[in-house]
């Protein structure tokens, strides 16, 4: 077994330098998984190699990338790539290089009208392009900053606890009256809070995922030959090299038609519209949780759930939502280990909840915990 493995332990460095050394071991595991497909609880098959998509992928081109591209294209007057002096010279005159070999001067002029400047970085899929612009902060006022008035007595910063859930995108438990009374020594807690939640269907509707899937399905249905060819693509989750070659041949045979379909103007506009809707949905979620107050404290549950609620459903944000919240309020990761078993007040194990058996109310199943 160890002879089939690559360098141990498996690290990011070993995978980067010798990724092919782990293929024999993956081939053996995949072969065992194929033999176990007729058994109950059969393991899921996987592909040993990365799979391409019919959608074109975006790449980022910065000044350093442009330097390498021009040098690889054989441009004579480009500074030497190996010499640090030449690379520094290219960075110092990067604006002239961008203007000479790209059309960035066209949108740079437009950006100057809105007080923005081009930051010498673009993202492109070969057809469309996204440009990184920078808008400097307004000049600081010469007047002395006046501290905001303190909050009124008895008013505290808003605290929220957000947990990961497979049934909902998130459920922010702002307050529980019974738990708050117990934490106050049995005294009635006078603070008024509420709970809020976003379901997965609401996220898919607000972020444009549902609309994008409906449009994509409608457009592919108008090309039955291409739809049938894509649906008949042989699986790549096979251990046999002959079967994998069948997958490669089928994909290469229909690659041109698939890229022409998914790379047309309406699909690019749909992708851009979905990006805008997704950013708006992120903004709405963050505003709902924080209430527009940067002093809001959010306890974010660190349960490692999959980004997809159920198999076959579109994924929902988990890490990205945590990152977006960190830009508008104060977020703290909260360990969720045994949080459903321990009491939130005394941290001791709670009594199990007996579950009655269906058809026999007199008997009970095992405790829930």
């Amino acid at each position: 077994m160890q002879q089939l493995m690559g360098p141990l332990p498996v690290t990011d460095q070993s995978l980067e330098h010798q990724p092919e050394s782990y293929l024999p071991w993956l081939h053996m595991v995949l072969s065992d998984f194929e033999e176990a497909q007729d058994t109950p609880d059969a393991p899921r098959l996987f592909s040993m190699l990365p799979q391409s998509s019919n959608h074109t992928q975006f790449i980022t081109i910065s000044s350093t990338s442009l330097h390498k591209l021009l040098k690889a294209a054989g441009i004579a007057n480009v500074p030497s790539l190996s010499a640090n002096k030449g690379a520094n010279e290219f960075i110092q005159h990067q604006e002239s290089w961008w203007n000479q070999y790209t059309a960035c001067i066209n949108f740079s002029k437009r950006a100057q009208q809105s007080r923005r400047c081009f930051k010498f970085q673009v993202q492109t899929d070969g057809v469309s392009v996204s440009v990184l612009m920078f808008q400097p902060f307004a000049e600081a006022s010469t007047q002395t900053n006046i501290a905001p008035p303190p909050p009124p007595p008895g008013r505290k910063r808003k605290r929220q606890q957000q947990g990961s859930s497979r049934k909902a995108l998130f459920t922010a438990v702002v307050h529980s009256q019974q738990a708050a009374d117990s934490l106050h020594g049995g005294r009635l807690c006078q603070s008024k809070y509420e709970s809020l939640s976003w379901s997965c269907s609401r996220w898919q509707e607000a972020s444009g995922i549902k609309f994008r899937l409906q449009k994509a399905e409608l457009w592919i249905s108008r090309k039955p030959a291409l739809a049938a060819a894509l649906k008949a693509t042989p699986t790549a989750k096979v251990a046999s090299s002959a079967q994998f070659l069948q997958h490669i041949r089928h994909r290469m045979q229909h690659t041109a038609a698939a890229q022409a379909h998914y790379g047309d103007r309406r699909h690019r506009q749909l992708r851009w519209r979905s990006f805008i809707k997704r950013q708006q949905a992120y903004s709405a979620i963050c505003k709902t949780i924080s209430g527009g107050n940067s002093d809001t404290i959010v306890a974010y549950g660190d349960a490692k759930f999959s980004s997809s609620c159920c198999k076959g459903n579109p994924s929902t944000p988990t890490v990205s939502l945590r990152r977006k919240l960190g830009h508008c309020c104060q977020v703290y990761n909260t360990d969720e280990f045994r949080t459903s078993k321990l009491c939130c007040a005394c941290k001791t194990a709670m009594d199990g909840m007996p579950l009655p058996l269906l058809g026999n109310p007199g008997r009970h199943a095992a405790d829930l915990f």
Side-chain angles (χ1 to χ4, degrees), residues 177-320:
Q177 187 67 41
Q178 183 178 1
D181 294 342
S182 63
L183 293 175
H184 283 74
R187 293 179 285 105
L188 181 62
C189 180
Q190 300 297 334
S191 302
K192 299 299 181 181
Y193 298 89
E194 60 181 1
S195 62
L196 49 96
S197 176
W198 268 56
S199 64
C200 293
S201 59
R202 183 181 177 185
W203 160 257
Q204 295 167 11
E205 185 73 30
S207 61
I209 295 178
K210 186 178 297 185
F211 178 81
R212 179 178 177 179
L213 293 177
Q214 291 175 351
K215 280 293 184 180
E217 185 177 358
L218 174 64
W219 293 338
I220 194 64
S221 64
R222 295 174 179 174
K223 298 181 179 179
L226 179 60
L230 296 179
K231 188 175 181 180
T233 302
T235 180
K237 302 176 181 180
V238 291
S240 172
S241 58
Q243 293 178 345
F244 189 79
L245 285 176
Q246 292 180 2
H247 167 80
I248 296 297
R249 294 191 185 99
H250 187 90
R251 290 295 303 268
M252 295 298 294
Q253 183 180 357
H254 301 91
T255 294
Q259 290 185 350
H261 172 74
Y262 289 106
D264 58 6
R265 184 178 181 84
R266 59 182 179 180
H267 274 88
R268 299 199 307 271
Q269 291 178 341
L270 182 62
R271 293 173 65 181
W272 177 242
R273 181 182 185 276
S274 300
F275 174 80
I276 296 175
K277 297 288 290 184
R278 186 165 63 252
Q279 299 304 313
Q280 292 175 346
Y282 275 128
S283 178
I285 292 176
C286 294
K287 187 176 181 180
T288 301
I289 296 176
S290 64
N293 186 4
S294 59
D295 290 335
T296 300
I297 299 176
V298 177
Y300 200 93
D302 62 351
K304 304 300 182 182
F305 288 145
S306 172
S307 59
S308 179
C309 300
C310 300
K311 182 180 179 181
N313 290 339
S315 60
T316 52
T318 52
V319 178
S320 58

Side-chain angles (χ1 to χ4, degrees), residues 100-143:
Q100 182 177 356
Y101 292 100
T102 67
C104 68
I105 191 173
N106 297 330
F107 48 78
S108 295
K109 293 180 179 179
R110 264 179 266 163
Q112 292 175 359
Q113 300 176 0
S114 59
R115 297 181 180 180
R116 297 178 181 177
C117 58
F118 175 49
K119 292 302 292 182
F120 309 106
Q121 180 174 315
V122 297
Q123 284 188 336
T124 178
D125 60 348
V127 181
S128 57
V129 61
S130 300
V131 184
L132 178 62
M133 311 299 294
F134 175 73
Q135 184 173 3
F137 291 103
E139 296 182 0
S141 176
T142 56
Q143 299 179 358

Side-chain angles (χ1 to χ4, degrees), residues 27-229:
H27 181 268
M28 185 186 65
V29 174
L30 184 58
S31 301
D32 295 340
F33 282 9
E34 285 183 341
E35 296 177 358
Q37 288 303 301
D38 297 333
T39 61
D41 301 329
R44 296 179 59 181
L45 299 177
F46 60 90
S47 176
M48 294 189 298
L49 299 176
Q51 298 304 301
S52 61
S53 173
N54 293 320
H55 302 274
T56 53
Q57 302 297 318
F58 281 85
I59 61 172
T60 301
I61 301 179
S62 60
S63 295
T64 305
S65 304
L66 181 63
H67 182 216
K68 295 179 180 179
L69 289 174
L70 296 179
K71 195 65 179 178
I75 306 299
N77 58 343
V78 178
S80 176
L81 185 63
S82 59
N84 293 332
K85 183 179 179 180
N88 295 333
E89 179 184 353
F90 183 88
I91 297 298
Q92 292 175 1
H93 302 86
Q94 57 184 347
E95 183 175 359
S96 61
W97 289 102
W98 278 93
N99 292 334
Q100 182 177 356
Y101 292 100
T102 67
C104 68
I105 191 173
N106 297 330
F107 48 78
S108 295
K109 293 180 179 179
R110 264 179 266 163
Q112 292 175 359
Q113 300 176 0
S114 59
R115 297 181 180 180
R116 297 178 181 177
C117 58
F118 175 49
K119 292 302 292 182
F120 309 106
Q121 180 174 315
V122 297
Q123 284 188 336
T124 178
D125 60 348
V127 181
S128 57
V129 61
S130 300
V131 184
L132 178 62
M133 311 299 294
F134 175 73
Q135 184 173 3
F137 291 103
E139 296 182 0
S141 176
T142 56
Q143 299 179 358
T144 304
N145 294 331
I146 302 177
R155 185 176 180 181
K156 300 181 179 180
R157 292 189 295 180
K158 189 177 179 181
R159 291 173 171 83
Q160 296 188 357
Q161 181 177 359
Q162 178 171 338
S164 302
S165 174
R166 291 178 178 267
K167 296 182 179 179
L169 174 60
F170 74 85
T171 300
V173 182
V174 184
H175 178 73
S176 172
Q177 187 67 41
Q178 183 178 1
D181 294 342
S182 63
L183 293 175
H184 283 74
R187 293 179 285 105
L188 181 62
C189 180
Q190 300 297 334
S191 302
K192 299 299 181 181
Y193 298 89
E194 60 181 1
S195 62
L196 49 96
S197 176
W198 268 56
S199 64
C200 293
S201 59
R202 183 181 177 185
W203 160 257
Q204 295 167 11
E205 185 73 30
S207 61
I209 295 178
K210 186 178 297 185
F211 178 81
R212 179 178 177 179
L213 293 177
Q214 291 175 351
K215 280 293 184 180
E217 185 177 358
L218 174 64
W219 293 338
I220 194 64
S221 64
R222 295 174 179 174
K223 298 181 179 179
L226 179 60

Side-chain angles (χ1 to χ4, degrees), residues 353-367:
M353 182 172 59
L355 300 177
L357 293 174
L358 297 177
N360 193 350
R363 297 184 59 188
H364 293 80
D367 292 342

